[in-house]
Amino acid sequence: MFEEASEVFDNMFKSSFPLTFIVFIPAVLILVSPLPAEAAHEFTVYRMQQYDLQGQPYGTRNAILNTEARTVEAEVLSRRCVIMRLVDFSYERYQKALRQSAGAVVIILPKNMSTMPQDIVQQFMELEPEMLATETIVPVYFALEDDELLSIYTQTLTSSSSQGSSSAAEVLIHTATANGFQMVTSGAQSKAVSDWAITSLEGRLAGTGGEDLPTIVLVAHYDSFGVAPWLSYGADSNGSGVSMLLELARLFSRLYTYKRTHAGYNLLFFVSGGGKFNYQGTKRWLEDNLDHTDSSLLQDNVAFVLCLDTLGNGDSLHLHVSKPPKEGTAQYALLKELETVASNQYPEVKFSMVHKKINLADDTLAWEHERFGIRRLPAFTLSHLNSHREVQRSSIMDVRPHVDLRKLSRNTKLIAESLARVIYNLTEKGAPGDLQIFTEQMMQEEQLSSVVDWLTAQPRAAQLVDKDSSVVSTLEYHLGRYLKDVRRHYVKADKRDPEFVFYDQLKQTMNAYRVKPAIFDLLLAFCIAAYLGVIYLSIQHFVVLYSVVRRITTPKTKQH
Amino acid sequence: MEMSQIERRSANPPATLGNHVQTILVYRCVSLYPYYRSEYNAFWRCVQAGATYLFVQLCKMLFLATFFPTWEGGAGVYDFVGEFMKATVDLADLLGLHLVMSRNAGKGEYKIMVAAMGWATAELVMSRCIPLWVGARGIEFDWKYIQMSFDSNISLVHYIVMAAVVWMFTRYDLPKSFRLPVTVLLGLCVYKAFLMELFVHVFLLGSWTALLVKAVLTGSISLCSLFLFVTLVHSN
């Protein structure tokens, strides 16, 4: 009976050649042509910073990845993608991965940063500038944790840590049955972004009472910084500064609408971009206003420039100056008013002045007021941080919970009161120290809260905010509600000697494919060959079964 | 000559894929007929069986689409009656196999083998090639492709059994006592897919367990039919 079956195949081979070819073409094509396959898991990864500042490169240089995954415990790390969780992250492990020339490092961050214990957060914040300071060829990625990623991590952990510790048979069985993961990123190699424009916004409130009025400038930079641009939300630094600036704009525009309270000072508000990259926005704005235009508020009588930087928390306020203010100047007046208001109305606030000379030999300037100081404008920065080197200023851990709304609102009130006392010259007129200019109804905490919430809802790294970004247009709209002459100001890097260069490919999609080791393929092929062999033998000897069945059935019929 | 006449007569139904395939095959057979007359081999017959498979599947799909609209119901509830009715449509498979076998002249085993091999190959190409092509070539490894291959082996055995049972059913010299077992086996063959779904749904079987159950079921049906076949063939 099965001779006919073999006859079919014989004829297939003997008869027209094209037919047999048709049968074998699919097999050949299967082996030859490539195909994009579905991934075991696809997730978004955010790359570490990559930028050049004043010719100096920082951060990671590479963006492409196609390597196997391992965890730090594995012995061989070279050309592998090292996966680490934030809880297990430490600088030594990171250095170990880099020293062994790993293919990439992926750090898994928990979805909700606030669930992390404080010491781990603090440790990571301190490590961020160190990670950025060394220029690495190895791409470093950050991914937010979800269940699938966690299972990938635990599987990789078990397979990595069992290497080199068990017997040969165990290793053989393990390599044959374990699941490896191949991490592949989509996207091209990173390249420099050309013609990136950093946007800054300015607006003013004109004073009353003649020409040549003194000008007070209020500045805050709106961009944020962290080890990964897409993850830097910059809540305290400098979301708090921007929201405070908007609130001050609102308060003083209300005062300036009435003739009785219209003061004799021009108020210039400046929301600068590129602040974390050595205050590029401010630098170019100053150049344009002082060097390239004939008349500008900045050229004439500037009383002082107050920069707001990181004011959303803490119980201390530091006024950073590059030169202690001389008596009789408006600067000195503000200093005194701040002291008065703080001591009389907010005794829990510790106010102090911090004097730091501008050091031009440093790579980057410390505070924003130093840009104005270089151009000989009297300026200071107000911050609750003691030093510009504090790691909180440039960390991805700086998220919304870092801003204490009550403290931000208290600081806003303090500054508003002090400014009002300077503008209206209240101390000279004999107003007592505890006189409150702004009543409770004027201070709108909900507005402050909603501005901070909106600012921290998206990453505002300078590489991500271009001139069409919603952040810029919303800020422009907001300023336009209270101020006049709201204008945009663009900064583009110089072509020949760029002060800053940004790179792209900051957010990529990574695919984790479940792969089996090569031994497994051999094992499987062997098993399939054995199975086919068994089938072949059973078909060849089917006659045996046939005769057995026949013998069983024939006695029955013979008995009839 | 007789063969090609029968084929031309059966190429009646409205323009369908099966019709096209069959007409193409008919055309080729007719044009190549003078050269293959003495060597009209089993391979072409298998291909014809495959073509009949395509045609029958198409008719079944048209029938299902017309008379069984999509059932609006809860996600977890299994529509037993609906699925049962749908499985009944698989009786067309039996008719198709009978058609193939009646066209082939030759011994019983030869007809069965040709019909079953052609049918199973067509089913393999139509329902398993695309998933294998798309999925098995990627970097990822998944056990489901191994399972799919096992499944195709089992279905080959199943179609051989089904063809054998159909052949036995249509024999004029089938003893009266055999009518009932053969009918029961025929019913089991047709509703095997339905039974498998039922098992998986009720007992919540894993994929490997389901495969095992399928293999056991097919094995038992094939043993029973083998017994009946041997008895029938060697009782005369």
Side-chain angles (χ1 to χ4, degrees):
Chain A
M1 170 164 150
F2 283 92
E3 293 84 45
E4 278 82 13
S6 56
E7 182 205 319
V8 170
F9 281 106
D10 282 339
N11 283 325
M12 196 167 81
F13 290 122
K14 279 188 224 149
S15 69
S16 48
F17 180 65
L19 288 171
T20 57
F21 203 56
I22 286 169
V23 171
F24 286 110
I25 273 185
V28 172
L29 282 175
I30 282 172
L31 293 170
V32 162
S33 48
L35 180 77
E38 281 179 27
H41 186 50
E42 202 176 89
F43 52 99
T44 321
V45 287
Y46 308 101
R47 204 163 65 98
M48 194 162 96
Q49 289 268 8
Q50 186 184 3
Y51 62 95
D52 295 341
L53 194 61
Q54 277 135 218
Q56 179 89 349
Y58 293 90
T60 172
R61 295 283 110 183
N62 243 347
I64 299 192
L65 180 63
N66 188 342
T67 57
E68 265 181 74
R70 288 271 188 278
T71 56
V72 193
E73 290 84 4
E75 302 236 327
V76 180
L77 286 180
S78 71
R79 285 178 293 114
R80 305 277 200 281
C81 169
V82 180
I83 310 184
M84 280 191 252
R85 289 186 72 195
L86 184 64
V87 285
D88 312 318
F89 181 78
S90 74
Y91 198 56
E92 297 83 42
R93 292 180 171 188
Y94 178 68
Q95 287 289 70
K96 177 184 172 196
L98 291 184
R99 254 182 295 119
Q100 295 198 21
S101 54
V105 177
V106 174
I107 300 176
I108 303 180
L109 303 168
K111 228 182 187 100
N112 202 352
M113 299 285 196
S114 44
T115 56
M116 290 262 93
Q118 266 305 104
D119 52 340
I120 293 183
V121 169
Q122 191 65 27
Q123 182 196 28
F124 186 74
M125 278 211 284
E126 273 151 33
L127 287 174
E128 280 186 57
E130 290 192 41
M131 284 170 72
L132 281 174
T134 53
E135 186 203 351
T136 56
I137 322 171
V138 170
V140 179
Y141 293 99
F142 294 86
L144 291 175
E145 186 178 281
D146 57 6
D147 292 327
E148 293 227 24
L149 198 54
L150 197 56
S151 84
I152 291 176
Y153 175 76
T154 38
Q155 285 180 48
T156 320
L157 186 63
T158 42
S159 66
S160 301
S161 46
S162 63
Q163 283 174 4
S165 59
S166 39
S167 67
E170 277 182 37
V171 170
L172 198 67
I173 294 171
H174 187 262
T175 48
T177 53
N179 254 342
F181 286 96
Q182 184 89 355
M183 313 294 249
V184 183
T185 49
S186 60
Q189 183 61 273
S190 69
K191 52 185 205 313
V193 175
S194 60
D195 268 0
W196 185 261
I198 297 181
T199 319
S200 312
L201 298 161
E202 64 166 277
R204 69 185 64 190
L205 287 170
T208 184
E211 306 275 324
D212 208 15
L213 290 169
T215 307
I216 293 178
V217 188
L218 293 168
V219 183
H221 60 92
Y222 67 83
D223 60 316
S224 59
F225 190 81
V227 73
W230 274 93
L231 292 173
S232 46
Y233 296 98
D236 203 7
S237 175
N238 194 12
S240 58
V242 175
S243 51
M244 189 184 284
L245 190 88
L246 290 176
E247 184 63 13
L248 289 174
R250 187 187 70 85
L251 285 171
F252 282 101
S253 83
R254 258 190 92 167
L255 283 179
Y256 272 43
T257 40
Y258 303 109
K259 259 189 94 166
R260 281 181 299 129
T261 48
H262 200 165
Y265 277 84
N266 291 323
L267 292 176
L268 186 56
F269 294 84
F270 186 57
V271 182
S272 66
K276 301 291 188 189
F277 290 94
N278 214 9
Y279 311 107
Q280 296 294 331
T282 315
K283 176 176 170 214
R284 189 65 68 84
W285 185 62
L286 280 171
E287 278 170 26
D288 284 349
N289 272 305
L290 296 177
D291 302 334
H292 303 306
T293 43
D294 291 330
S295 79
S296 150
L297 280 182
L298 286 176
Q299 285 174 349
D300 311 322
N301 192 353
V302 173
F304 55 80
V305 180
L306 179 63
C307 305
L308 303 168
D309 191 339
T310 321
L311 289 154
N313 217 328
D315 279 324
S316 51
L317 271 183
H318 303 283
L319 190 71
H320 298 270
V321 291
S322 42
K323 196 161 74 207
K326 289 208 224 4
E327 274 212 41
T329 58
Q331 259 190 310
Y332 187 73
L334 181 69
L335 173 63
K336 281 293 150 208
E337 296 295 0
L338 280 169
E339 277 176 5
T340 318
V341 174
S343 55
N344 282 324
Q345 299 182 26
Y346 303 100
E348 71 271 15
V349 174
K350 289 186 286 300
F351 176 78
S352 65
M353 182 180 81
V354 176
H355 174 214
K356 181 195 165 302
K357 287 209 184 82
I358 303 178
N359 186 356
L360 289 168
D362 264 344
D363 287 335
T364 54
L365 293 178
W367 298 101
E368 198 154 8
H369 72 269
E370 297 193 358
R371 279 273 170 228
F372 294 92
I374 292 174
R375 306 300 307 237
R376 310 233 179 279
L377 290 169
F380 26 51
T381 304
L382 206 53
S383 174
H384 77 85
L385 295 175
N386 200 1
S387 149
H388 68 278
R389 291 198 200 286
E390 294 257 4
V391 288
Q392 296 169 36
R393 290 185 77 214
S394 51
S395 164
I396 59 171
M397 297 294 179
D398 188 10
V399 285
R400 176 68 179 86
H402 267 231
V403 173
D404 186 341
L405 198 68
R406 282 179 304 111
K407 297 194 181 161
L408 177 64
S409 151
R410 174 201 71 200
N411 290 342
T412 315
K413 268 194 269 224
L414 204 161
I415 295 171
E417 296 273 347
S418 319
L419 276 174
R421 293 174 77 93
V422 169
I423 292 176
Y424 298 112
N425 223 345
L426 291 177
T427 312
E428 268 194 27
K429 295 182 186 163
D434 52 359
L435 175 67
Q436 275 201 352
I437 320 261
F438 297 101
T439 58
E440 285 306 311
Q441 292 153 327
M442 283 196 86
M443 295 295 303
Q444 282 181 354
E445 226 178 80
E446 297 90 29
Q447 176 128 346
L448 206 60
S449 156
S450 66
V451 171
V452 173
D453 287 341
W454 165 69
L455 281 171
T456 54
Q458 68 242 304
R460 297 184 322 276
Q463 297 108 319
L464 303 175
V465 180
D466 67 347
K467 52 186 159 151
D468 305 316
S469 154
S470 68
V471 176
V472 171
S473 43
T474 315
L475 279 173
E476 194 178 6
Y477 167 75
H478 223 81
L479 284 173
R481 283 177 68 186
Y482 310 121
L483 308 174
K484 299 203 194 1
D485 278 344
V486 175
R487 273 198 287 255
R488 286 189 182 206
H489 184 263
Y490 296 114
V491 179
K492 277 199 189 156
D494 189 39
K495 290 275 189 273
R496 263 167 295 144
D497 186 18
E499 300 94 344
F500 61 90
V501 180
F502 294 142
Y503 291 81
D504 61 357
Q505 300 288 348
L506 292 166
K507 178 159 96 155
Q508 290 174 302
T509 319
M510 190 180 281
N511 297 309
Y513 297 109
R514 216 178 282 120
V515 289
K516 293 276 189 193
I519 295 181
F520 179 78
D521 283 340
L522 285 173
L523 207 66
L524 194 66
F526 180 70
C527 289
I528 291 176
Y531 170 76
L532 287 176
V534 166
I535 296 283
Y536 178 72
L537 284 174
S538 64
I539 290 177
Q540 290 287 76
H541 298 289
F542 184 76
V543 184
V544 174
L545 177 66
Y546 196 80
S547 54
V548 162
V549 173
R550 195 167 160 185
R551 246 185 290 126
I552 292 174
T553 52
T554 27
K556 284 188 202 162
T557 52
K558 269 192 186 158
Q559 276 163 20
H560 282 314
Chain B
M1 197 65 77
E2 200 181 27
M3 210 63 73
S4 52
Q5 276 175 355
I6 291 170
E7 277 139 23
R8 258 181 260 137
R9 232 184 293 137
S10 61
N12 257 333
T16 58
L17 180 63
N19 185 30
H20 283 151
V21 171
Q22 210 159 355
T23 33
I24 290 168
L25 278 176
V26 162
Y27 188 76
R28 291 192 70 179
C29 283
V30 165
S31 57
L32 293 168
Y33 182 70
Y35 306 103
Y36 277 88
R37 188 165 158 187
S38 53
E39 305 152 2
Y40 198 62
N41 51 25
F43 180 68
W44 275 118
R45 293 190 188 171
C46 280
V47 172
Q48 281 171 34
T52 318
Y53 168 84
L54 288 172
F55 175 67
V56 166
Q57 294 306 312
L58 205 71
C59 291
K60 271 185 4 186
M61 278 196 280
L62 285 171
F63 188 79
L64 280 172
T66 319
F67 294 106
F68 292 92
T70 41
W71 182 64
E72 310 283 341
V77 182
Y78 189 71
D79 180 22
F80 292 106
V81 178
E83 293 296 323
F84 186 77
M85 298 302 285
K86 283 188 198 169
T88 313
V89 181
D90 287 335
L91 279 170
D93 277 341
L94 301 179
L95 286 173
L97 277 172
H98 175 61
L99 194 71
V100 172
M101 287 195 290
S102 62
R103 273 213 307 266
N104 287 332
K107 275 179 64 183
E109 296 105 349
Y110 178 72
K111 288 205 281 195
I112 292 169
M113 282 310 297
V114 160
M117 297 239 356
W119 201 267
T121 313
E123 197 222 2
L124 173 78
V125 167
M126 287 295 129
S127 57
R128 287 184 234 283
C129 260
I130 305 284
L132 278 174
W133 180 271
V134 168
R137 279 192 300 141
I139 304 177
E140 273 231 316
F141 175 78
D142 204 335
W143 286 104
K144 70 173 186 250
Y145 301 114
I146 307 276
Q147 285 173 358
M148 219 186 276
S149 315
F150 274 126
D151 194 45
S152 67
N153 283 359
I154 292 169
S155 62
L156 175 64
V157 174
H158 176 249
Y159 284 125
I160 293 174
V161 167
M162 193 144 75
V165 173
V166 168
W167 178 80
M168 281 196 280
F169 193 78
T170 54
R171 291 272 292 188
Y172 61 89
D173 59 348
L174 191 67
K176 284 284 185 293
S177 57
F178 279 24
R179 280 264 156 204
L180 183 64
V182 169
T183 319
V184 166
L185 278 178
L186 209 63
L188 268 177
C189 276
V190 170
Y191 289 107
K192 190 196 83 163
F194 172 67
L195 276 173
M196 278 310 305
E197 275 188 51
L198 200 68
F199 280 147
V200 169
H201 197 78
V202 170
F203 298 116
L204 295 168
L205 300 172
S207 49
W208 285 106
T209 328
L211 204 64
L212 193 68
V213 170
K214 198 170 187 178
V216 164
L217 200 63
T218 311
S220 49
I221 296 177
S222 59
L223 266 177
C224 295
S225 62
L226 183 67
F227 268 99
L228 287 172
F229 182 82
V230 168
T231 319
L232 187 62
V233 166
H234 295 282
S235 62
N236 312 340

